[in-house]
């Protein structure tokens, strides 16, 4: 019998075709063709058919392959090698139905990638889907663990995977080609005309399985991987997230059985601490089965971030170990970025903050973030945020961050704080353009994610919790000056939204930082802001003490501007403490200074204070004159709303019900324009008070109910409308 390789070479050279030309014509590699011609690799029907066509052999080359014979093909009714799905596959009904439909749909690609973070339950879902549709694939359902992310194991090479698959397809060892190309061609030949499912589990990279991907076949390959495997262009992709809360609780109860906690609230807390990650939930459930833990004690250990990962380890399964396999496969630059991301105080960081942390330009930061995203170590969303799962964040802090050099960590934190300060400054300047800000010496932000005041306020609304944490982080890292500066800039937003708890918390930290920096002027500014927070929240006596201490600091620093601001703030506190006459005197003093120095916004604030103090003294004409002047000079929408409410209060106290109602209605409209829920709720409360003064109780109740719908607190100690309503109810 004639040898195919020798005949192929004879026919090729006889027509003057090079090996390179033949490789291009038949779409096989030059190296593989060389081995075929020299008898070092087996040929398959696809190659024989292509060579026969290109060399116009009229079927003679193809006949040589038929004579030599290829490995026998297993008949229909093939083996089902899927592993046991386990007794505790819980939930995932929506995902299971969708995945099963994709496997059965003839119009979808033949390869699907089920991807998600370590421990998300990808394998269980893939196996369940394969079992659900196995009757539609009569030639067999096979499962291969390619060991791409198995701790302590070596991943299967493409050639090893191809060889194992061929052995399961009844190809004997002596019929296996020696090279990868030959193996791949033989796999495609064996799969042609068959309808099988291959579940390729634990795949690390597209390259590991690219040779297995079938050609013309009705078979389906279902891949599971921690990576998204974007390089598999023709595959469809199926992401697997953590479980919904209710399904995670069901999983814990299913695995723990009679040992599961009775208390539903405690069980839910435990599952939340597990991050709803199936692997973590199963480990905790196993702890209940093993005994030795009460639900409350286990919950408390899981609640402690220093012990949580340690509790998610049962000796054979470990969340930290599962994560470590992914982490240790990363190149150095990606490992560094993962560690530095743990310094960010929020679970989600803007990409600009990531660039600042890592000290990288946009292009390089994007590249590294994309690789971490592809590995399911972080999630990059369409908003441009980079987000950690809670457990992955803890892993990064305990395993990745220590691998970063200490100096690198400190410089990264300094860059992050500077970035936060410059962006917050830019937002504050748009939202409060007339406010005083101390010099920071920091450059203007090169780019910001907002273009106007509304955008700046929206950014502050989304970011203030993170910014408050950065204030604390700056202090812990010894960045004292940046700490108090950032807190100071945040004060305007906290005042606007009446966020008293973070206002006070950040400024208590900033006070320590300013004192540690030995800066009496900065200390005075922070003390003054603390006094304002206590005034606004109704703790007037404490506010007076803060303002008096601020005055002492400004005197020590010889800071005239700070001293006059402290006197103004102290006057407001005294007004609310019932010392209206003293308040009028001091506010008149500061008003003259503000007029001389051209501080128009502070003029407006002082005028409102004099109006309110004069109202308390029943000097209504003077009060009305000051309130009107404040309204005329107001520069910002929120100041116009506050001035309208001030005039309405003066008229209400003077018994001018119709004018009071008109002013309150105007104030409500202005508050809407300014986006101030506080001032609108104040105006609505005033409308209710006015209706009650006219003995229209029904209308009053309706206005008050509308005011109560806003998520703001109107403190009777500092707001006349709230105090008057309290007396009426």
């Amino acid at each position: 019998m004639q040898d195919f390789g020798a005949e192929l070479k004879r026919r090729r050279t006889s027509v003057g075709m090079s090996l390179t030309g033949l490789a291009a014509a038949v779409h096989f590699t030059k190296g593989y063709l060389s081995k075929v011609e020299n008898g070092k690799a087996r040929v398959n029907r696809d190659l024989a058919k292509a060579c026969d066509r290109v060399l116009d052999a009229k079927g003679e080359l193809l006949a040589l392959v038929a004579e030599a014979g290829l490995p026998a093909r297993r008949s229909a009714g093939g083996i089902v090698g899927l592993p046991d799905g386990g007794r505790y596959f819980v939930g995932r009904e929506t995902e299971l139905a969708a995945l099963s439909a994709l496997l059965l749909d003839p119009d979808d690609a033949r390869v699907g990638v089920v991807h998600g973070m370590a421990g998300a339950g990808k394998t269980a879902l893939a196996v369940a889907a394969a079992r659900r549709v196995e009757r539609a694939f009569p030639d067999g359902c096979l499962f291969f663990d390619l060991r791409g992310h198995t701790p302590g194991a070596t991943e299967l090479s493409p050639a090893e995977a191809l060889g194992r698959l061929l052995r399961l397809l009844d190809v004997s060892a002596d019929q296996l080609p020696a090279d990868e190309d030959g193996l791949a061609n033989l796999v495609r030949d064996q799969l042609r005309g068959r309808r099988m499912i291959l579940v390729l589990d634990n795949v690390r990279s597209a390259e590991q399985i690219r040779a297995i991907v079938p050609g013309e076949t009705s078979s389906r390959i279902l891949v599971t991987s921690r990576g998204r495997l974007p390089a598999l262009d023709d595959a469809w992709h199926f992401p697997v997230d953590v479980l919904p809360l209710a399904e995670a609780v069901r999983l814990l109860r299913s695995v723990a059985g009679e040992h599961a906690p009775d208390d539903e609230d405690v069980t839910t807390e435990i599952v939340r601490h597990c991050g709803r990650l199936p692997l973590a939930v199963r480990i905790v459930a196993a702890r209940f089965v093993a005994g030795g833990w009460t639900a409350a004690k286990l919950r408390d250990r899981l609640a402690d971030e220093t012990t949580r990962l340690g509790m998610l380890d049962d000796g054979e399964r470990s969340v930290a170990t599962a994560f470590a396999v992914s982490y240790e496969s990363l190149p150095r630059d990606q490992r560094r970025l993962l560690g530095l991301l743990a310094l960010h105080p929020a679970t989600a960081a803007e990409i600009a903050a990531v660039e600042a942390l890592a000290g990288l330009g946009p292009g390089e930061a994007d590249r590294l973030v994309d690789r971490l995203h592809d590995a399911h170590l972080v999630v990059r969303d369409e908003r441009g945020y980079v987000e950690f799962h809670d457990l992955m964040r803890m892993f990064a802090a305990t395993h990745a961050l220590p691998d970063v050099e200490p100096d690198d960590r400190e410089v990264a934190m300094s860059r992050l704080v500077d970035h936060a300060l410059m962006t917050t400054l830019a937002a504050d300047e748009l939202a409060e353009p007339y406010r005083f800000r101390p010099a920071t010496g920091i450059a203007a932000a090169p780019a910001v994610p907002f273009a106007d005041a509304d955008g700046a306020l929206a950014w502050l609304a989304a970011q203030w919790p993170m910014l408050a944490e950065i204030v604390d982080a700056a202090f812990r890292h010894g960045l004292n000056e940046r700490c108090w500066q950032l807190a100071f800039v945040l004060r305007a937003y906290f005042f606007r939204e009446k966020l008293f708890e973070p206002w006070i918390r950040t400024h208590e930290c900033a006070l320590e930082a300013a004192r540690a920096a030995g800066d009496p002027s900065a200390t005075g500014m922070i003390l003054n802001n603390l006094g304002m927070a206590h005034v606004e929240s109704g703790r007037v006596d404490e506010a007076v003490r803060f303002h008096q201490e601020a005055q002492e600091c400004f005197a020590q620093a010889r800071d005239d501007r700070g001293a006059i601001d402290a006197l103004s703030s102290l006057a407001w506190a005294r007004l609310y403490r019932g010392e209206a006459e003293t308040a009028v005197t001091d506010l008149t003093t500061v008003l003259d200074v503000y007029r001389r120095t051209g501080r128009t916004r502070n003029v407006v604030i002082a005028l409102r204070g004099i109006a309110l103090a004069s109202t308390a003294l029943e000097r209504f004409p003077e009060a009305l004159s000051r309130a009107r002047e404040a309204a005329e000079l107001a520069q910002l929408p929120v100041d116009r709303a506050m001035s309208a409410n001030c005039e309405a209060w003066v008229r209400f106290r003077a018994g001018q019900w119709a004018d009071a109602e008109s002013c309150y209605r105007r104030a409500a409209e202005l508050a809407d324009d300014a986006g101030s829920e506080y001032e609108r709720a104040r105006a609505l409360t005033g409308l209710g008070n006015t209706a009650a003064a006219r003995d229209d109780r029904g209308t009053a109740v309706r206005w008050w109910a509308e005011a109560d719908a806003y998520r703001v607190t109107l403190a009777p100690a500092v707001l006349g409308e709230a105090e008057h309503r309290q007396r009426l109810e």
Side-chain angles (χ1 to χ4, degrees), residues 350 352-353 356 414-424 442 445 447 459:
E350 292 178 300
S414 179
R415 286 193 300 261
L416 176 64
V417 173
D418 281 356
H419 168 77
L421 177 57
M422 68 174 63
T423 311
T424 307
I442 200 166
W459 183 84

Side-chain angles (χ1 to χ4, degrees), residues 283-480:
I283 291 172
V284 167
R287 283 190 176 277
F288 283 122
V289 173
W293 287 91
T294 66
K297 286 183 178 178
L298 189 53
R299 174 202 59 195
D300 293 344
R301 284 293 178 88
L302 289 168
D304 185 344
E305 294 190 1
T306 64
T307 57
R308 188 178 304 174
L309 286 178
M311 296 302 296
L312 298 177
D313 183 338
D314 64 7
E316 295 187 22
R317 298 171 295 183
S318 164
V319 169
T321 299
F323 291 169
V325 174
S326 298
Y327 169 70
E328 289 166 3
S329 69
L330 299 175
R332 184 176 181 81
D333 54 356
Q334 293 174 36
R335 293 170 67 157
R336 172 182 178 268
L337 180 59
L338 189 73
L340 291 179
L341 283 172
L343 290 173
H344 196 280
T347 55
E350 292 178 300
I351 189 63
V354 176
E355 293 164 6
L357 259 175
L360 298 173
E364 182 63 8
D366 285 338
R367 182 185 72 81
L368 295 180
V369 168
D370 283 347
R371 296 294 78 75
L372 295 178
H373 172 78
D374 289 344
H376 278 284
L377 295 170
V378 302
V379 174
R380 179 175 188 161
D381 66 24
E382 294 178 354
R383 302 170 301 161
Y385 282 77
V386 180
E387 188 169 1
F388 264 133
H389 183 277
D390 285 345
L391 296 179
M392 186 62 73
R393 175 181 171 75
M394 291 175 196
F395 173 84
T398 56
H399 291 72
L401 184 57
D403 288 346
V404 180
E405 292 294 331
D407 288 348
D408 194 5
R409 296 199 297 262
E410 292 306 312
V411 172
M413 177 54 69
S414 179
R415 286 193 300 261
L416 176 64
V417 173
D418 281 356
H419 168 77
L421 177 57
M422 68 174 63
T423 311
T424 307
L425 271 169
D428 191 51
E429 286 166 356
L430 282 172
E432 302 275 354
Y434 306 107
R435 189 167 87 89
F436 166 73
R437 299 170 191 85
T440 62
I442 200 166
V448 293
F450 40 79
D452 53 25
D454 288 341
L457 288 171
W459 183 84
L460 287 165
Q463 299 296 323
W464 73 257
M466 178 272 296
L467 294 169
E469 292 298 325
I470 287 185
V471 170
D472 180 66
F475 179 64
R476 286 187 283 104
H477 285 262
L479 303 170
N480 293 320

